[in-house]
Amino acid sequence: MAEDDSYESMLCVKPEVHVYRIPPRASNRGYRAADWKLDEPAWSGRMKITAKGKMAFIKLEDKNTGELFAQAPVEQYPGCVVEAVTDSSRYFVIRIEDGNGRHAFIGLGFADRGDSFDFNVALQDHFKWVKQEGELAKLEASQSAAPKLDLSFKEGQTIKISLGNIKKKEAGGAKPRPTSGGLLPPPPGAKPGGVVLPPPGGQQPVSAAQINTAPLLDFGSPVPVAQPSSDLWGDFTSAGSNSNKDAVQSGWVQFS
């Protein structure tokens, strides 16, 4: 990502801040706001934090005219340009420059803790972005320097794919059903060999081979048909003659 140094972005604006003259640091323990004359600020006005490329700028301006009072270029945060005091979260020590190589340390105070929190977060977010941009640039440089992996097929190169699962399904497929040759299955209770189970009552089992199927299969032999008798009264005459004989033998007389 190319940096545009000519573009200046606004990070934070606070309408009222106070500037204090601070005594020299007495020890390495840090600055204390209690040593300042907090009720007598040296200057009051508006504060802006702007960013141009990787640099951030703390600008102190007149709230009415916008005239620049002082400016502090910030290359990194936390750092020597912006330092928090040890006894309060609303006061900081910043290092201002006049553009001619001269610099000075002044005290910067906010009337509200919320304003000081916004001031701190604006600087943290900017330099967090600067760090991420630097890591991304290093990653892109390392990727461009590394040889690229070519996974494309060369001319005439082929591959072979073995579909093993399909072969297994074909080998273990359903078995064909055995054909019965058009014959009906045996009736329930029948055993192999054509022997029918005996019916209840103690009858002997009859083999299928012993059943005479000649009358069913002999379609050429005519079946004899009973001829009607020419004497229509023959049956009655014979019946009557038999009854007379029975009457004589028994001693009774039959009157006709």
Side-chain angles (χ1 to χ4, degrees):
M1 180 178 179
E3 297 178 2
D4 188 2
D5 294 337
S6 62
Y7 177 75
E8 185 177 22
S9 60
M10 187 70 64
L11 302 181
C12 180
V13 178
K14 293 302 174 183
E16 184 177 5
V17 295
H18 306 288
V19 173
Y20 303 91
R21 292 185 178 93
I22 61 176
R25 181 184 296 186
S27 64
N28 294 330
R29 291 181 300 176
Y31 294 97
R32 296 179 69 252
D35 298 336
W36 308 345
K37 296 179 180 181
L38 300 178
D39 54 344
E40 297 179 4
W43 179 87
S44 297
R46 181 175 58 198
M47 185 210 68
K48 291 181 180 180
I49 301 178
T50 62
K52 183 182 290 188
K54 295 181 180 181
M55 292 287 295
F57 299 89
I58 301 173
K59 297 181 179 181
L60 303 177
E61 300 174 348
D62 186 275
K63 64 175 63 176
N64 297 322
T65 63
E67 182 182 359
L68 182 64
F69 171 73
Q71 178 176 269
V74 184
E75 295 182 359
Q76 63 179 3
Y77 182 80
C80 62
V81 177
V82 181
E83 183 179 353
V85 299
T86 59
D87 58 346
S88 177
S89 61
R90 296 189 294 117
Y91 298 93
F92 300 86
V93 176
I94 63 174
R95 181 177 180 267
I96 59 175
E97 295 182 2
D98 62 355
N100 297 322
R102 296 182 300 177
H103 67 274
F105 290 92
I106 60 174
L108 179 68
F110 298 90
D112 185 71
R113 283 188 174 86
D115 294 339
S116 64
F117 177 80
D118 295 340
F119 169 80
N120 192 21
V121 170
L123 291 174
Q124 287 180 351
D125 290 346
H126 171 70
F127 287 99
K128 182 179 179 180
W129 170 82
V130 171
K131 182 179 179 181
Q132 292 176 350
E133 288 294 315
E135 293 176 351
L136 182 60
K138 291 180 181 179
L139 180 60
E140 291 178 351
S142 62
Q143 290 179 352
S144 60
K148 295 183 179 180
L149 182 61
D150 186 10
L151 299 178
S152 61
F153 285 99
K154 306 300 185 294
E155 184 177 358
Q157 185 179 3
T158 60
I159 61 173
K160 181 179 180 182
I161 300 176
S162 177
L163 301 178
N165 294 333
I166 296 180
K167 292 183 179 180
K168 290 181 180 179
K169 290 182 179 180
E170 292 178 355
K175 296 181 179 180
R177 295 182 179 179
T179 55
S180 60
L183 299 178
L184 295 176
K191 294 183 178 180
V195 179
V196 184
L197 294 177
Q203 297 181 4
Q204 296 295 329
V206 180
S207 175
Q210 298 177 1
I211 300 175
N212 187 9
T213 58
L216 299 177
L217 301 177
D218 190 3
F219 298 100
S221 302
V223 180
V225 181
Q227 297 294 331
S229 176
S230 60
D231 188 4
L232 299 176
W233 300 97
D235 294 337
F236 297 99
T237 304
S238 58
S241 60
N242 293 335
S243 62
N244 291 334
K245 293 178 181 181
D246 294 339
V248 173
Q249 292 176 1
S250 62
W252 288 89
V253 178
Q254 180 179 5
F255 296 94
S256 58

